Amino acid sequence: MTRVLILDGHPDSNPARFCHALAESYAAGATGAGHEVRRVRLCDLDFSDLTRRDDWQTPSTPAAVVAVQQDITWAQHLVIIYLLWLGSMPARLKALFEQAFRPGYAFGQGERSIGDGRLKGRTARVIVTMGMPASIYRGFYLSHSLKALKRNILAFVGIGPTRATLVGNVEGIDEARLRRWLGEVSALGARAR
């Protein structure tokens, strides 16, 4: 049994959003297989963006973000689901990582903190939805935002390996493709992968 944290990174609370359905499917597959699951929905969190270096380095983390940190500490496997906006994750999701992965929590403080990722022992799955074909994102855009998330955020704090699932052509997705993707994500959840 694996402790799984699902971070639904869509900033819109509209229940019709595909990212929310993917999060539901992963959770259903994981709980059905006996894994423990916690969920965080970005759209439900109340926190401010960091605007100064001093804000990032101070220990005054917002209560909503402290709860997310506690869930990350609890988890053995993180699932991060977001949609591609202007080639990257939504700014609100990046703001959450900036708030949550502060010095003293996710890595040490000071010049010697590089390589001091304190979240070692956790794996991750990143699921990214996009309007373009996933092959274009991989081949032409070289999955640059996904690579940045894996290397510059997750690996930096010790999380890895990180696997990825890219879901392209989601605009106007037909019912058969929708069911297929939800089934594939549910199967990933059952394996906590």
Side-chain angles (χ1 to χ4, degrees):
M1 180 171 63
T2 303
R3 295 187 308 272
V4 178
L5 173 63
I6 301 170
L7 172 54
D8 178 346
H10 201 303
D12 185 353
S13 63
N14 182 337
R17 299 296 177 217
F18 189 44
C19 287
H20 301 324
L22 291 170
E24 289 284 339
S25 289
Y26 193 100
T31 56
H35 302 293
E36 289 183 64
V37 175
R38 291 186 184 176
R39 295 179 58 186
V40 171
R41 288 174 20 118
L42 180 68
C43 61
D44 295 336
L45 299 178
D46 182 26
F47 64 92
S48 59
D49 296 348
L50 297 174
T51 58
R52 300 176 314 136
R53 180 180 179 152
D54 290 345
D55 294 338
W56 187 65
Q57 292 179 322
T58 60
S60 59
T61 307
V65 177
V66 170
V68 172
Q69 289 175 328
Q70 290 168 346
D71 286 338
I72 292 168
T73 300
W74 167 86
Q76 296 168 306
H77 182 65
L78 280 72
V79 180
I80 303 163
I81 302 170
Y82 67 89
L83 67 160
L84 200 65
W85 273 0
L86 291 176
S88 189
M89 72 179 76
R92 190 82 177 133
L93 181 57
K94 176 70 164 52
L96 176 62
F97 287 128
E98 289 170 357
Q99 282 278 13
F101 292 164
R102 289 170 177 254
Y105 169 71
F107 57 94
Q109 295 182 316
E111 293 178 19
R112 297 176 188 225
S113 66
I114 302 298
D116 180 29
R118 295 184 175 175
L119 298 176
K120 291 181 174 112
R122 290 162 183 81
T123 59
R125 161 78 56 185
V126 178
I127 301 172
V128 185
T129 68
M130 61 198 71
M132 74 178 88
S135 60
I136 299 294
Y137 180 66
R138 275 190 211 99
F140 185 77
Y141 293 104
L142 305 176
S143 304
H144 70 281
S145 70
L146 175 61
K147 287 180 184 176
L149 171 60
K150 288 170 71 171
R151 181 190 63 220
N152 301 350
I153 298 175
L154 299 177
F156 182 76
V157 299
I159 298 170
T162 298
R163 296 173 180 87
T165 300
L166 302 178
V167 184
N169 295 324
V170 298
E171 299 297 322
I173 189 169
D174 64 45
E175 190 65 30
R177 280 191 66 233
L178 176 78
R179 281 195 311 273
R180 190 193 83 193
W181 275 114
L182 295 177
E184 287 186 27
V185 168
S186 179
L188 289 172
R191 298 190 324 266
R193 297 282 290 187

